[in-house]
Amino acid sequence: METLIPTINRLQEVFLTVGADVIQLPQIVVVGSQSSGKSSVLESLVGRDFLPRGSGIVTRRPLVLQLVNVAPLEERLKTDNGNDVKHTGQNSYSGVKAEEWGTFLHCKNQIFTDFGEIRREIEAETERTSGNNKGIAPEPIHLKIFSPKVLNLTLVDLPGITKVPVGDQPEDIESQVQEMILSFISNPNSLILAVSPANSDLATSDALKLAREVDTDGRRTLLVVSKLDLMDAGTDALEVLLGRVIPVRLGIIGVVNRSQHDINTQKSLQDSMKDEQVFLQRHYPSLASRSGSRYLAKTLSRLLMHHIRDCLPDLKTRVTVLSAQYQARLNSYGQPVEDHSATLLQIVTKFASDYCNTIEGTGRYIQTSELCGGARICYIFHETFGRTLQSIDPLGGLTELDVLTAIRNATGPRPALFVPEVSFELLVKRQIKRLEEPSLRCVELVHEELQRIIQHCSSFSTQELLRFPKLHDSIVEVVTGLLRKRLPIANEMVHNLVAIELAYINTKHPDFTDAAQVSASVNSQQAETLDGKRWKNEKVAEEKVPAAGFGSPSKGQPINLLDTAVPVSRKLSAKEQRDCEVIQRLIKCYFLIVRKTIQDNVPKSVMHFLVNFVKEHLQSELVGQLYKQPLLQELLIESQDTAQQRTEVAQMLEALKKANNIISEIRETHLW
């Protein structure tokens, strides 16, 4: 069990080298308000004066304090001289000729044997990043203290909770301190050491209030009641220490801090601890064995060891999962380029293959959020384009008056006995022309989707392209140029499809013959039905609704034959109605035939002249324009971000492997 805390310390050092906080390691976080006695509690655990002191906020950066128990100097010297006293290589530290010493992470290979120097180094390092204006900074200071008098322990000392900014402190100093504290105690693997003075109301303890926010059931919180000797005369903290005021799951421990007079007279911590035991025996005899700084140190070490033991299985799983994730990320960045020719050909070939596979629907990365590639092209053909054509009314935009006008214009100065075929051709061509715009729009939509596939391949399939921005831009330019070159060809073909239909109106089309016969039969039936009534009807129509422009002009109004307007609306005669119906039925029948042909031929033309052509010529186009010796070096220049990310991910992966090995060593001791 004693090896667990040094193991966590080693893990902390491993992850500090890469500057990342991806693993939430077990640790004890010390929380308390200003002047609550936090510093005195920590110094009592170490047995030495080493923390800065003063008024206001003294701790302005998190201090990660690792206490490491080592053998006394005499025993280490015996080991160094080859005597029988043996220690593990990790705990012998035979090269250090001091009983107690400290090291800082930011001071590589420098050993501090004077604890006054440790204090001054903490103050200097604090001012280096926080300045001298009593502001705070989130970057922690890492201090490791080696001593035969300490128990293996890892603590994090945080700035004291404050309410009012002092001097040139920022106005939001209270919220800054609280956010920093919450960022540490929110770690579910941390234990919270809440320090609250005995001479204040525990119900208003800021430390307990913050601890309750993240540890609602109190399973991670230990309360230290400091300054037991400063309570008002006639009062004591017995009810508090017994947990009858506010129960705390991990327990409540009372301690007696050194007074300012003791600090000024440089009273040793050993003497202070003796006085503490005397005070506890006199005032709290029933709790003396479960109170005091020595009991606090043993309790913290025991709690931390058990907590680490409980956290290690999840820690092992987390390290394993992260190792797999970072290995995958490292693989995605690829290796540094050695053979430029082979690398470029490989990337270009893979891009062309991924592009074609995306169209065919056989790509490795299938999107689930939206249609992509060939599936979207199919949707454009059969849903977007098909439904648009189906929604076009064969007689849309044609009124009966338009049809009648066309018939009259086609007969010239002579009245017609039959419906002229020229009027039918004129009107049906006008309707067929309406099919050209949606057909060209279909080509444009497919072209846009082929453009989108480029981005899809570079983002999902051919991720190697992200390593080489210039190669990526060049490939996009080549493919875009190929698509741009084929777009007018496909548009021309679709335009010709409509022009072909306009060039020759085939009234002998197999599907059109029956419709013409039906129209003729309807014509004859209507003629027989209306034959007996024709004269009467026409007479009534002429009397009731004279045709404007064909009757006599009003008296007193000059007539201009060139400017006489066609009537906007009037009642048609029976013959006019019959002629209009015949033309309308013929137009509808022939339009449906042409629409069916266009709906079938446009997708085929787009596939042949645009999609399939690009698929067949993409790779040769890319190789022809990019595989040139002068361009190889320039195109395969890695982006700075990729190179930096590869280095960072490789370092993190190495740290995770070391962490995995360290945890595996602990698992071999059969602590489970």
Side-chain angles (χ1 to χ4, degrees):
M1 288 286 286
E2 287 75 13
T3 62
L4 290 178
I5 295 177
T7 296
I8 294 300
N9 292 345
R10 291 168 62 194
L11 289 177
Q12 280 185 335
E13 293 169 3
V14 165
F15 290 113
L16 284 173
T17 57
V18 293
D21 191 21
V22 295
I23 297 289
Q24 294 179 319
L25 297 173
Q27 57 190 5
I28 298 175
V29 182
V30 185
V31 182
S33 58
Q34 278 187 30
S35 303
S36 62
K38 289 193 300 91
S39 298
S40 296
V41 170
L42 290 175
E43 288 183 336
S44 67
L45 296 176
V46 178
R48 298 293 295 265
D49 291 323
F50 68 97
L51 292 174
R53 291 184 176 275
S55 60
I57 292 183
V58 178
T59 304
R60 295 188 286 132
R61 288 177 59 182
L63 175 65
V64 179
L65 177 62
Q66 295 179 356
L67 305 183
V68 182
N69 179 265
V70 296
L73 177 61
E74 184 178 352
E75 292 186 14
R76 285 187 280 116
L77 290 176
K78 290 180 181 179
T79 303
D80 201 22
N81 293 331
N83 291 340
D84 293 336
V85 181
K86 294 182 180 179
H87 298 279
T88 63
Q90 180 182 336
N91 294 329
S92 62
Y93 303 101
S94 57
V96 181
K97 308 301 181 184
E99 187 78 10
E100 300 174 293
W101 71 95
T103 61
F104 288 94
L105 183 68
H106 63 272
C107 298
K108 300 292 185 182
N109 303 321
Q110 185 175 356
I111 295 175
F112 295 81
T113 57
D114 183 353
F115 280 76
E117 289 186 15
I118 291 179
R119 179 189 298 111
R120 289 188 288 273
E121 182 59 34
I122 293 175
E123 293 173 345
E125 181 64 15
T126 298
E127 292 187 1
R128 186 181 64 83
T129 56
S130 305
N132 53 8
N133 65 343
K134 298 295 184 181
I136 64 173
E139 296 84 7
I141 299 174
H142 292 267
L143 170 62
K144 184 181 289 188
I145 292 180
F146 303 83
S147 172
K149 302 175 184 176
V150 301
L151 297 175
N152 289 329
L153 208 54
T154 301
L155 306 104
V156 180
D157 185 24
L158 297 175
I161 303 169
T162 184
K163 297 293 184 181
V164 180
V166 178
D168 53 358
Q169 286 180 342
E171 292 295 328
D172 61 341
I173 187 67
E174 179 184 2
S175 61
Q176 286 187 26
V177 172
Q178 290 193 5
E179 287 175 8
M180 179 186 293
I181 293 174
L182 288 173
S183 68
F184 279 86
I185 64 178
S186 297
N187 172 9
N189 291 337
S190 67
L191 295 176
I192 304 170
L193 181 62
V195 180
S196 186
N199 56 358
S200 66
D201 188 357
L202 201 61
T204 61
S205 171
D206 293 322
L208 279 180
K209 178 177 179 293
L210 285 176
R212 290 285 175 88
E213 289 184 18
V214 296
D215 183 31
T216 54
D217 54 1
R219 290 193 298 178
R220 297 191 287 119
T221 303
L222 173 69
L223 176 62
V224 172
V225 179
S226 62
K227 303 182 180 181
L228 288 176
D229 55 332
L230 298 183
M231 297 189 69
D232 294 337
T235 63
D236 61 30
L238 186 62
E239 295 294 312
V240 172
L241 295 176
L242 290 174
R244 295 171 182 170
V245 177
I246 295 180
V248 180
R249 184 76 62 90
L250 293 184
I252 302 174
I253 299 176
V255 297
V256 177
N257 301 93
R258 287 193 300 166
S259 65
Q260 189 62 43
H261 175 72
D262 294 337
I263 297 172
N264 295 337
T265 58
Q266 297 183 348
K267 182 178 181 180
S268 68
L269 280 165
Q270 286 72 21
D271 293 339
S272 297
M273 288 185 182
K274 291 179 183 178
D275 293 344
E276 179 186 46
Q277 286 300 314
V278 172
F279 177 86
L280 292 172
Q281 289 289 350
R282 183 184 304 124
H283 294 87
Y284 302 94
S286 61
L287 295 177
S289 61
R290 291 180 286 137
S291 301
S293 301
R294 288 193 180 94
Y295 180 76
L296 174 62
K298 293 178 183 178
T299 302
L300 289 176
S301 183
R302 175 178 55 82
L303 288 174
L304 185 57
M305 283 191 292
H306 284 85
H307 189 62
I308 292 171
R309 183 192 61 185
D310 296 338
C311 293
L312 271 179
D314 291 338
L315 203 59
K316 171 72 173 176
T317 303
R318 175 69 174 161
V319 168
T320 303
V321 171
L322 283 175
S323 297
Q325 293 176 351
Y326 275 90
Q327 184 64 58
R329 283 184 59 184
L330 185 62
N331 294 338
S332 69
Y333 294 135
Q335 298 298 324
V337 179
E338 296 180 358
D339 188 342
H340 290 76
S341 300
T343 302
L344 187 139
L345 279 177
Q346 179 184 3
I347 294 177
V348 164
T349 302
K350 188 174 186 304
F351 177 85
S353 175
D354 290 338
Y355 191 93
C356 296
N357 290 339
T358 303
I359 294 177
E360 294 297 327
T362 57
R364 291 179 298 168
Y365 296 90
I366 303 297
Q367 284 194 351
T368 57
S369 58
E370 62 177 353
L371 293 178
C372 176
R376 189 172 184 85
I377 293 175
C378 178
Y379 183 87
I380 292 171
F381 285 157
H382 303 292
E383 297 294 331
T384 305
F385 177 62
R387 290 185 177 181
T388 301
L389 291 189
Q390 293 295 329
S391 66
I392 298 177
D393 182 10
L395 300 176
L398 278 182
T399 64
E400 288 185 337
L401 193 57
D402 294 334
V403 176
L404 183 61
T405 302
I407 294 174
R408 287 184 171 180
N409 286 337
T411 58
R414 295 171 296 279
L417 297 176
F418 306 101
V419 177
E421 187 174 343
V422 175
S423 61
F424 162 71
E425 287 196 10
L426 176 69
L427 295 174
V428 81
K429 284 182 179 180
R430 172 179 165 182
Q431 298 305 97
I432 292 174
K433 186 69 176 174
R434 298 170 61 203
L435 299 174
E436 183 174 11
E437 183 179 351
S439 301
L440 293 175
R441 178 58 181 158
C442 175
V443 180
E444 184 179 347
L445 290 175
V446 174
H447 176 265
E448 291 175 359
E449 180 57 28
L450 293 176
Q451 285 281 116
R452 291 179 64 225
I453 296 177
I454 303 174
Q455 186 62 35
H456 172 83
C457 290
S458 59
S459 300
F460 296 97
S461 302
T462 319
Q463 290 188 339
E464 294 91 337
L465 278 178
L466 302 180
R467 293 176 56 193
F468 312 108
K470 291 187 177 180
L471 178 59
H472 174 268
D473 294 342
S474 298
I475 288 179
V476 171
E477 184 179 350
V478 171
V479 181
T480 302
L482 179 61
L483 292 174
R484 192 185 304 116
K485 186 167 59 177
R486 297 302 301 177
L487 179 61
I489 298 175
N491 280 335
E492 183 66 20
M493 181 60 198
V494 170
H495 173 77
N496 288 336
L497 287 177
V498 179
I500 288 170
E501 298 296 338
L502 295 174
Y504 180 66
I505 305 300
N506 184 16
T507 56
K508 293 296 184 180
H509 191 282
D511 296 334
F512 186 70
T513 305
D514 294 339
Q517 292 175 352
V518 169
S519 298
S521 64
V522 170
N523 189 17
S524 61
Q525 290 175 2
Q526 287 183 346
E528 292 175 0
T529 304
L530 297 175
D531 186 55
K533 302 178 181 178
R534 180 169 50 191
W535 181 85
K536 182 178 180 181
N537 288 340
E538 291 178 354
K539 186 67 175 177
V540 172
E542 290 175 1
E543 290 176 356
K544 291 185 178 180
V545 187
F550 294 98
S552 300
S554 302
K555 292 183 179 181
Q557 293 181 351
I559 184 168
N560 186 345
L561 296 176
L562 297 178
D563 295 334
T564 303
V566 177
V568 176
S569 62
R570 65 179 177 82
K571 186 176 181 181
L572 301 181
S573 66
K575 180 178 183 304
E576 289 173 339
Q577 290 179 349
R578 185 171 63 249
D579 292 346
C580 286
E581 184 179 354
V582 170
I583 290 294
Q584 287 174 340
R585 294 186 62 178
L586 291 175
I587 290 173
K588 183 175 182 180
C589 181
Y590 195 82
F591 179 86
L592 295 179
I593 295 172
V594 174
R595 186 176 70 182
K596 184 178 180 181
T597 303
I598 294 296
Q599 188 172 348
D600 182 54
N601 286 337
V602 167
K604 292 178 179 178
S605 301
V606 174
M607 288 299 296
H608 177 71
F609 287 96
L610 185 59
V611 180
N612 290 343
F613 185 92
V614 171
K615 283 171 52 182
E616 294 169 3
H617 296 83
L618 178 60
Q619 183 171 350
S620 60
E621 191 79 11
L622 288 170
V623 173
Q625 295 198 34
L626 301 181
Y627 189 68
K628 298 175 181 178
Q629 201 62 35
L631 295 177
L632 293 180
Q633 296 284 347
E634 180 182 355
L635 292 177
L636 294 178
I637 296 177
E638 271 192 322
S639 67
Q640 292 182 352
D641 291 341
T642 300
Q644 180 180 353
Q645 289 171 359
R646 185 196 294 112
T647 302
E648 292 174 354
V649 170
Q651 291 175 347
M652 177 56 68
L653 186 60
E654 185 64 25
L656 289 168
K657 289 179 179 178
K658 291 181 180 178
N660 195 31
N661 293 336
I662 293 172
I663 297 175
S664 298
E665 293 175 7
I666 297 300
R667 292 178 63 87
E668 292 170 3
T669 61
H670 307 292
L671 294 173
W672 320 105

